[in-house]
Short mmCIF file of all heavy atoms in Angstrom, two decimals:
data_model
loop_
_atom_site.label_atom_id
_atom_site.label_comp_id
_atom_site.label_asym_id
_atom_site.label_seq_id
_atom_site.Cartn_x
_atom_site.Cartn_y
_atom_site.Cartn_z
N PHE A 53 230.96 148.18 175.54
CA PHE A 53 231.69 147.48 176.63
C PHE A 53 232.20 148.64 177.51
O PHE A 53 233.09 149.43 177.15
CB PHE A 53 232.88 146.75 176.07
CG PHE A 53 233.70 145.99 177.08
CD1 PHE A 53 233.46 144.66 177.33
CD2 PHE A 53 234.71 146.63 177.79
CE1 PHE A 53 234.20 143.95 178.26
CE2 PHE A 53 235.53 145.93 178.74
CZ PHE A 53 235.25 144.60 178.97
N GLY A 54 231.69 148.68 178.69
CA GLY A 54 232.19 149.61 179.67
C GLY A 54 233.42 149.08 180.42
O GLY A 54 233.42 148.00 181.01
N GLY A 55 234.50 149.88 180.33
CA GLY A 55 235.79 149.39 180.86
C GLY A 55 235.80 149.04 182.32
O GLY A 55 236.67 148.26 182.78
N ILE A 56 234.87 149.52 183.10
CA ILE A 56 234.83 149.27 184.55
C ILE A 56 234.61 147.73 184.79
O ILE A 56 234.96 147.23 185.84
CB ILE A 56 233.79 150.05 185.28
CG1 ILE A 56 234.06 150.07 186.80
CG2 ILE A 56 232.39 149.56 184.96
CD1 ILE A 56 233.28 151.12 187.54
N VAL A 58 236.42 145.46 183.77
CA VAL A 58 237.73 144.79 183.98
C VAL A 58 238.55 145.47 185.13
O VAL A 58 239.69 145.13 185.31
CB VAL A 58 238.64 144.77 182.70
CG1 VAL A 58 237.90 143.94 181.64
CG2 VAL A 58 238.92 146.13 182.15
N PHE A 81 234.26 150.22 172.70
CA PHE A 81 234.81 150.05 174.02
C PHE A 81 234.99 151.46 174.63
O PHE A 81 235.48 152.36 173.98
CB PHE A 81 236.12 149.31 173.98
CG PHE A 81 235.97 147.86 173.66
CD1 PHE A 81 235.74 147.43 172.32
CD2 PHE A 81 236.10 146.86 174.63
CE1 PHE A 81 235.56 146.10 172.03
CE2 PHE A 81 235.94 145.52 174.35
CZ PHE A 81 235.68 145.15 173.04
N ASP A 82 234.64 151.60 175.88
CA ASP A 82 234.69 152.91 176.57
C ASP A 82 235.35 152.77 177.93
O ASP A 82 235.01 151.78 178.67
CB ASP A 82 233.33 153.48 176.76
CG ASP A 82 233.31 154.84 177.44
OD1 ASP A 82 233.33 154.88 178.69
OD2 ASP A 82 233.28 155.85 176.75
N VAL A 83 236.31 153.60 178.28
CA VAL A 83 236.95 153.50 179.59
C VAL A 83 237.33 154.86 180.05
O VAL A 83 237.23 155.85 179.33
CB VAL A 83 238.25 152.56 179.41
CG1 VAL A 83 239.31 153.25 178.54
CG2 VAL A 83 238.72 152.12 180.75
N ALA A 84 237.77 154.96 181.29
CA ALA A 84 238.15 156.25 181.88
C ALA A 84 239.15 156.01 182.99
O ALA A 84 239.15 154.99 183.64
CB ALA A 84 236.98 157.02 182.36
N PRO A 85 240.05 156.99 183.26
CA PRO A 85 241.00 156.92 184.38
C PRO A 85 240.36 156.69 185.74
O PRO A 85 240.92 156.12 186.64
CB PRO A 85 241.81 158.24 184.33
CG PRO A 85 241.68 158.68 182.89
CD PRO A 85 240.29 158.22 182.52
N TYR A 87 238.06 154.82 186.50
CA TYR A 87 237.55 153.41 186.71
C TYR A 87 238.65 152.49 187.30
O TYR A 87 238.95 151.48 186.78
CB TYR A 87 237.09 152.81 185.38
CG TYR A 87 235.92 153.53 184.70
CD1 TYR A 87 235.65 153.33 183.39
CD2 TYR A 87 235.18 154.44 185.37
CE1 TYR A 87 234.65 153.99 182.74
CE2 TYR A 87 234.09 155.05 184.75
CZ TYR A 87 233.85 154.85 183.42
OH TYR A 87 232.84 155.51 182.72
N ALA A 90 241.18 150.05 185.43
CA ALA A 90 240.59 149.49 184.18
C ALA A 90 241.42 149.71 182.97
O ALA A 90 241.53 148.85 182.11
CB ALA A 90 239.13 150.02 184.00
N GLU A 91 242.00 150.91 182.85
CA GLU A 91 242.83 151.19 181.71
C GLU A 91 244.01 150.24 181.63
O GLU A 91 244.38 149.69 180.55
CB GLU A 91 243.36 152.60 181.73
CG GLU A 91 242.27 153.68 181.51
CD GLU A 91 242.91 155.09 181.61
OE1 GLU A 91 243.59 155.36 182.55
OE2 GLU A 91 242.61 155.92 180.70
N LEU A 94 242.60 146.80 180.62
CA LEU A 94 242.02 146.74 179.28
C LEU A 94 243.06 146.82 178.15
O LEU A 94 242.87 146.18 177.11
CB LEU A 94 240.96 147.90 179.15
CG LEU A 94 240.15 147.90 177.82
CD1 LEU A 94 239.34 146.63 177.65
CD2 LEU A 94 239.25 149.15 177.75
N LEU A 107 237.62 152.76 170.13
CA LEU A 107 238.00 152.94 171.51
C LEU A 107 237.81 154.36 171.96
O LEU A 107 238.32 155.29 171.42
CB LEU A 107 239.51 152.57 171.67
CG LEU A 107 240.06 152.69 173.11
CD1 LEU A 107 239.28 151.88 174.09
CD2 LEU A 107 241.53 152.28 173.12
N ALA A 108 236.99 154.51 172.94
CA ALA A 108 236.65 155.78 173.52
C ALA A 108 237.24 155.93 174.96
O ALA A 108 237.23 154.98 175.71
CB ALA A 108 235.13 155.98 173.63
N CYS A 109 237.75 157.07 175.27
CA CYS A 109 238.31 157.31 176.61
C CYS A 109 237.80 158.68 177.09
O CYS A 109 237.27 159.48 176.30
CB CYS A 109 239.82 157.25 176.60
SG CYS A 109 240.56 157.19 178.28
N LYS A 110 238.02 159.00 178.33
CA LYS A 110 237.45 160.23 178.93
C LYS A 110 238.44 160.85 179.90
O LYS A 110 239.41 160.16 180.36
CB LYS A 110 236.14 159.91 179.66
CG LYS A 110 235.12 159.16 178.80
CD LYS A 110 233.77 159.14 179.53
CE LYS A 110 233.65 158.01 180.55
NZ LYS A 110 233.46 156.70 179.93
N LEU A 130 246.68 152.16 177.71
CA LEU A 130 245.78 151.43 176.83
C LEU A 130 246.58 150.99 175.58
O LEU A 130 245.93 150.31 174.64
CB LEU A 130 244.57 152.28 176.40
CG LEU A 130 243.57 152.41 177.54
CD1 LEU A 130 242.69 153.62 177.43
CD2 LEU A 130 242.73 151.14 177.61
N PHE A 135 243.02 157.71 170.29
CA PHE A 135 241.67 157.35 170.70
C PHE A 135 240.70 157.70 169.57
O PHE A 135 240.86 158.74 168.97
CB PHE A 135 241.20 158.04 171.97
CG PHE A 135 241.95 157.52 173.16
CD1 PHE A 135 242.66 158.41 174.02
CD2 PHE A 135 241.94 156.21 173.51
CE1 PHE A 135 243.33 157.98 175.11
CE2 PHE A 135 242.67 155.77 174.61
CZ PHE A 135 243.32 156.62 175.42
N GLN A 139 236.54 162.22 175.43
CA GLN A 139 235.39 162.92 176.00
C GLN A 139 235.68 163.60 177.32
O GLN A 139 236.40 163.09 178.15
CB GLN A 139 234.28 161.89 176.26
CG GLN A 139 233.87 161.08 175.04
CD GLN A 139 233.28 159.74 175.41
OE1 GLN A 139 232.06 159.50 175.42
NE2 GLN A 139 234.15 158.77 175.74
#
Side-chain angles (χ1 to χ4, degrees):
F53 182 98
I56 199 169
V58 298
F81 290 76
D82 179 277
V83 70
Y87 299 162
E91 289 180 312
L94 185 61
L107 179 57
C109 193
K110 307 190 278 283
L130 286 156
F135 290 123
Q139 303 153 103

